[in-house]
Amino acid sequence: MDSIKLTNVKLSVEEISDLVASPSCGAISLFVGTTRDNFQDKKVVHLEYEAYEPMAEKALKTICRDMREKWQVENIALYHRLGVVPVKEASVVIAVSSPHRAESLLAVQFAIDALKSSVPIWKKEVYDTDTPQWKSNSECAWAS
Amino acid sequence: MDSIKLTNVKLSVEEISDLVASPSCGAISLFVGTTRDNFQDKKVVHLEYEAYEPMAEKALKTICRDMREKWQVENIALYHRLGVVPVKEASVVIAVSSPHRAESLLAVQFAIDALKSSVPIWKKEVYDTDTPQWKSNSECAWAS
Amino acid sequence: MTNNLKVPVKVLFFAKARELSGRKESELEIECSLTYECLLDTLVKEFSLELVENHLILAVNQEYKSAGHNIVLKAGDEIAVIPPLSGA
Amino acid sequence: MTNNLKVPVKVLFFAKARELSGRKESELEIECSLTYECLLDTLVKEFSLELVENHLILAVNQEYKSAGHNIVLKAGDEIAVIPPLSGA
């Protein structure tokens, strides 16, 4: 089962972990991206995310398909939060269950790399004093 | 901060994820080991874990130290449940936060491998009809 | 000259491109067949995207397009102006 | 003969070794200096561990020991009989 979600609501790691859990699987690997309180010397107040939603959902589905071509995984959840995300809270949760652990560990790593390079979502960092700044992922081909 | 726990209580992924979250970190990687409902053709009812507790805690601390020697990680949690663990529930949760994601992803993978090969904990698989069986990790040097 | 036939398309802006253009979306009449470069150039001029023009990619109907290709458009197509991604 | 001096030690059993020996722990008087192999052999015979003797490792005071080494014991030392690990 592939679960994909773009949401303005706070992400629950437990809920997403339970969602991918499967009685036939011995392993769940997860990656949680959280908001850092600093960038270089600037103090980050929060992040603001926006997405090209229908295209982002398609791109997330493509990542699921690619993962399944590469590894034997059972359930996949790719959740990305949109709107304001305060410091320490999760902007992304990736969870994958697999019968054995190697598959889900590798699949999660692949998914986060693929998400950063291919899914049309953008993040603005809002600082305490400096001007807010749109970020760009080094994984994105047209970033530089 | 290193958090190590051997416990008879159900493990909460959310709690452990929150425990390692840090405002200076952008990434939390987690591995959750869950009880599978089958082994070969046998139906698994539950698992039973026991530990040589003081030595297991030492071995878990050694894993934390080794992780910190290899990667720049912020907080580490290594939790292992003991006693009866029903199907689908977590027997182990490993969580690591790091400023950037590569470190925590690699560190989690290392930790689960190290745990399986070095920490004195044992698992008995209890089946619906067959005789219960003590398992052995292929990562353990004296398993075969 | 069929090349000059214009069609109405929808243009979507995101992130920095949204801020520079001052809008989330717009309608535009544009040639139904043109190069990627020509399409990009038209959008940059029309919507004041000069500041980011070297760091944009275009998507047509939710598919990334790339330089060096011809783009064929029909009425109602959705063009998105996509700055460098920064999800996760 | 100092080699024959015996000391009382505690022996702990886990998993399959616990089941075979029928106990969680025991006290034993044993030579204070002996080879790993000799120690293992003594424990196997004393506590009926023949079924798993090729898949055991011993720990002394919570440190894994290995074959080919001499073991020096003092009164009160804790020896653990450790079957193949299966945590996680």
Side-chain angles (χ1 to χ4, degrees), chain C residues 32-52:
Chain C
C32 66
S33 176
L34 73 182
T35 63
Y36 177 93
E37 286 73 12
C38 180
L39 176 59
L40 181 59
D41 197 51
T42 305
L43 295 172
V44 164
K45 292 213 167 64
E46 182 74 23
F47 298 106
S48 316
L49 302 171
E50 289 81 2
L51 214 64
V52 291

Side-chain angles (χ1 to χ4, degrees), chain B residues 20-62:
Chain B
V20 301
S22 161
S24 64
C25 285
I28 301 171
S29 298
L30 299 107
F31 177 82
V32 182
T34 54
T35 299
R36 296 176 57 178
D37 65 357
N38 70 88
F39 174 68
Q40 290 159 357
D41 287 339
K42 303 174 199 169
K43 185 173 179 328
V44 175
V45 175
H46 65 245
L47 302 182
E48 287 174 23
Y49 285 91
E50 70 181 70
Y52 182 10
E53 297 198 29
M55 185 173 172
E57 283 170 3
K58 272 193 198 173
L60 290 169
K61 280 177 198 153
T62 300

Side-chain angles (χ1 to χ4, degrees), chain A residues 48-112:
Chain A
E48 287 173 23
Y49 284 91
E50 70 180 70
Y52 181 10
E53 297 198 28
M55 185 172 171
E57 284 170 2
K58 272 193 197 173
L60 290 169
K61 279 177 199 154
T62 300
I63 293 174
C64 292
R65 194 200 61 204
D66 292 349
M67 288 162 89
R68 293 186 182 283
E69 272 176 18
K70 287 171 194 284
W71 299 285
Q72 199 213 330
V73 298
E74 183 79 14
N75 296 315
I76 303 173
L78 304 178
Y79 278 49
H80 204 299
R81 189 165 164 191
L82 301 177
V84 171
V85 181
V87 166
K88 258 186 90 174
E89 291 191 10
S91 53
V92 67
V93 177
I94 293 172
V96 179
S97 59
S98 57
H100 303 287
R101 72 183 186 285
E103 288 88 344
S104 63
L105 284 164
L106 290 167
V108 162
Q109 200 152 356
F110 169 85
I112 179 65

Side-chain angles (χ1 to χ4, degrees), chain D residues 51-64:
Chain D
L51 214 65
V52 291
E53 67 176 315
N54 295 323
H55 301 287
L56 291 179
I57 204 165
L58 300 176
V60 177
N61 296 333
Q62 302 169 18
E63 293 212 351
Y64 293 118

Side-chain angles (χ1 to χ4, degrees), chain D residues 39-59:
Chain D
L39 176 58
L40 180 60
D41 197 49
T42 305
L43 296 172
V44 165
K45 291 211 168 65
E46 182 75 24
F47 298 106
S48 315
L49 302 172
E50 289 81 2
L51 214 65
V52 291
E53 67 176 315
N54 295 323
H55 301 287
L56 291 179
I57 204 165
L58 300 176

